[in-house]
């Protein structure tokens, strides 16, 4: 069987960076005009670590690799080069031979790769909508099972039996 191209988002899928980011955004009363600056200067090293793993995400990625059904890559938006470096170093601790694609925040994930028939697992429905418009297959990652019009999973390993 031909392997499917599978892209997995990082924030809100592998690590729950979203909760501390939003909390600090609120606590610091960041104004909309300072939003980009906030993300660029955020101390990402404080949240890119094992404390924020969602469910058993890292082990699930191992299971996905073992299934041999997919060409797997991590596709993650980044606000700064420092954030990209931290994410790559974090993922490299666990995965020696995996493709990691940091995408500048201002660019759609669909503009970085060939999307046709490729699968994207992402927690953000906006990314999934763009992905689908470009001929890809979107799967929403959501702990409450909130699908927003897509197939939805709570654990990454669920994707293994979907294809
Ligand atoms: Mg995300």
């Amino acid at each position: 069987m031909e392997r499917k191209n599978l892209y997995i988002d990082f924030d809100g899928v592998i690590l729950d960076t979203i909760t501390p980011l939003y909390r600090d955004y609120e606590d610091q009363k960041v104004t909309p005009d300072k939003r980009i600056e906030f993300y660029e200067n955020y101390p990402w090293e404080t949240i890119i670590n094992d404390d924020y793993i969602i469910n058993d995400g890292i082990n699930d990625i191992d299971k996905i690799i073992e299934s041999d059904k997919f060409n797997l890559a991590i596709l993650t938006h980044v606000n700064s080069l420092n954030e990209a470096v931290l994410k790559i170093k974090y993922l490299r601790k666990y995965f020696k031979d995996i493709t990691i694609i940091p995408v500048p925040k201002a660019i759609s994930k669909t503009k970085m790769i060939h999307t046709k028939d490729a699968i994207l697992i992402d927690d953000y429905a906006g990314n999934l909508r763009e992905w689908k418009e470009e001929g890809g297959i979107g799967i929403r990652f959501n702990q409450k099972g909130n699908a927003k019009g897509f197939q939805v999973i709570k654990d990454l390993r669920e994707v293994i039996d979907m294809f």
Side-chain angles (χ1 to χ4, degrees), residues 9 11 122-123:
D9 176 31
D11 299 286
D122 205 296
D123 61 319

Side-chain angles (χ1 to χ4, degrees), residues 8 16 25 28 35-36 44 49-50 54 56 59 61-62 88 93-94 97 108 119-121 131 143 146 153-154 163:
I8 298 180
D16 179 26
Y25 189 90
Q28 294 171 27
R35 198 174 144 271
I36 292 172
W44 287 86
N49 62 60
D50 291 349
I54 299 171
D56 206 16
N59 287 325
I61 291 172
D62 269 332
I88 292 162
K93 278 200 308 176
Y94 293 103
D97 188 28
S108 167
I119 306 157
L120 173 67
I121 301 177
W131 195 262
Q143 294 308 296
N146 180 352
I153 59 172
K154 293 181 184 183
F163 296 92

Side-chain angles (χ1 to χ4, degrees), residues 15-137:
L15 295 191
D16 179 26
T17 51
I18 305 294
T19 302
L21 278 168
Y22 283 10
R23 182 199 58 215
D24 293 344
Y25 189 90
E26 293 294 318
D27 286 355
Q28 294 171 27
K29 299 188 171 39
V30 179
T31 51
D33 58 311
K34 298 278 185 214
R35 198 174 144 271
I36 292 172
E37 221 173 290
F38 169 82
Y39 284 109
E40 281 177 1
N41 298 325
Y42 194 85
W44 287 86
E45 65 279 3
T46 62
I47 58 171
I48 299 180
N49 62 60
D50 291 349
D51 293 345
Y52 292 94
I53 296 173
I54 299 171
N55 297 348
D56 206 16
I58 296 290
N59 287 325
D60 278 14
I61 291 172
D62 269 332
K63 291 191 182 106
I64 290 168
I65 293 167
E66 279 166 23
S67 79
D68 209 23
K69 285 183 166 179
F70 306 96
N71 299 314
L72 173 67
I74 308 302
L75 185 65
T76 178
H77 268 136
V78 295
N79 303 273
S80 66
L81 282 178
N82 178 50
E83 180 190 339
V85 168
L86 288 164
K87 285 176 171 174
I88 292 162
K89 282 186 173 167
Y90 178 77
L91 289 165
R92 279 286 168 257
K93 278 200 308 176
Y94 293 103
F95 310 109
K96 300 295 169 230
D97 188 28
I98 197 176
T99 301
I100 305 167
I101 307 167
V103 182
K105 187 69 176 210
I107 305 290
S108 167
K109 290 184 177 183
T110 63
K111 301 302 176 205
M112 294 297 285
I113 43 193
H114 187 70
T115 47
K116 180 93 175 68
D117 297 328
I119 306 157
L120 173 67
I121 301 177
D122 205 296
D123 61 319
Y124 178 51
N127 288 340
L128 295 171
R129 273 192 291 273
E130 290 177 357
W131 195 262
K132 201 174 161 190
E133 278 165 20
E134 298 294 326
I137 301 159

